Amino acid sequence: MSHGYTILPAEREHLAALPRIELVAARLLAPYAPRHVLDETTDEETFRQAQRQGKLWIAAAGDGPIGFALVEMLADGHSHLEEMDVLPCRARRGVETALHAKVPECSRHSRHIETTLTTFRAPPWNMPFYLRARFEEIGPEEWSAEVKGVVAAEASRGLWNQGRCVMRYSHR
């Protein structure tokens, strides 16, 4: 337990709380993202599958989750931090850093080489957090085919023209 929370693999009983965390955390991005995206939540089956595969971690405090990290494997050795959300009332107290530290554990059967993510540049807390965590911004010439697919999916939802970037963390 650290600062009143614990980081642990998500259990099935945690999943119902995660959409609410997504929606509350998304409010902080209102100036930066289209409204329809801010109202979206991850579908239950995606959470369920990630939980079964050990690719979903939660920050728990009191009686339930206060944040989560959802990871997908894009290729052998290449994880992608699909989403990380923390309730704003619990943010900036190390929860995000502790969740991020669990990402390599999501790739048990892989030679974990790198993690990518897409994020907004503009929010003053967002990109700087990942830069402090030793992520670096990478340009399109460095995107793998899988990352290009992630970017295309975001663009189809209206996100990519909203000041997004791709970042990479090397585990070497």
Side-chain angles (χ1 to χ4, degrees):
M1 177 83 77
S2 177
H3 299 291
Y5 64 87
T6 304
I7 306 298
L8 59 144
E11 297 292 338
R12 193 172 182 104
E13 63 268 13
H14 299 134
L15 304 183
L18 304 186
R20 179 183 157 280
I21 294 170
E22 285 180 292
L23 291 172
V24 173
R27 290 182 194 149
L28 295 174
L29 298 172
Y32 312 103
R35 181 68 196 183
H36 72 276
V37 172
L38 301 177
D39 292 336
E40 294 176 357
T41 60
T42 303
D43 66 274
E44 185 179 336
E45 183 53 33
T46 297
F47 280 139
R48 192 176 304 126
Q49 184 176 2
Q51 180 267 322
R52 284 192 306 261
Q53 294 173 351
K55 297 175 185 166
L56 181 62
W57 291 82
I58 65 154
D63 60 352
I66 60 167
F68 69 90
L70 172 63
V71 175
E72 39 177 83
M73 293 303 296
L74 295 184
D76 188 34
H78 180 178
S79 60
H80 183 76
L81 183 55
E82 177 62 27
E83 184 171 8
M84 184 166 65
D85 289 318
V86 174
L87 291 173
C89 64
R90 299 302 296 260
R92 299 191 185 143
R93 295 182 187 154
V95 179
E96 298 90 342
T97 300
L99 282 166
H100 169 259
K102 292 297 184 178
V103 172
E105 293 184 40
C106 295
S107 59
R108 288 182 275 228
H109 308 294
S110 175
R111 318 173 320 277
H112 200 80
I113 297 169
E114 71 178 19
T115 299
T116 55
L117 60 85
T118 58
T119 195
F120 291 98
R121 284 187 179 94
W125 67 89
N126 206 42
M127 194 173 174
F129 166 79
Y130 291 112
L131 290 170
R132 283 190 305 276
R134 298 187 343 205
F135 277 82
E136 63 179 341
E137 183 174 0
I138 58 173
E141 67 282 355
E142 296 183 75
W143 298 352
S144 66
E146 294 85 2
V147 169
K148 288 176 183 175
V150 169
V151 170
E154 288 187 359
S156 74
R157 294 171 43 226
L159 269 175
W160 200 255
N161 294 327
Q162 301 293 324
R164 304 276 287 170
C165 67
V166 175
M167 300 185 82
R168 173 181 59 208
Y169 176 86
S170 177
H171 296 275
R172 296 179 201 182

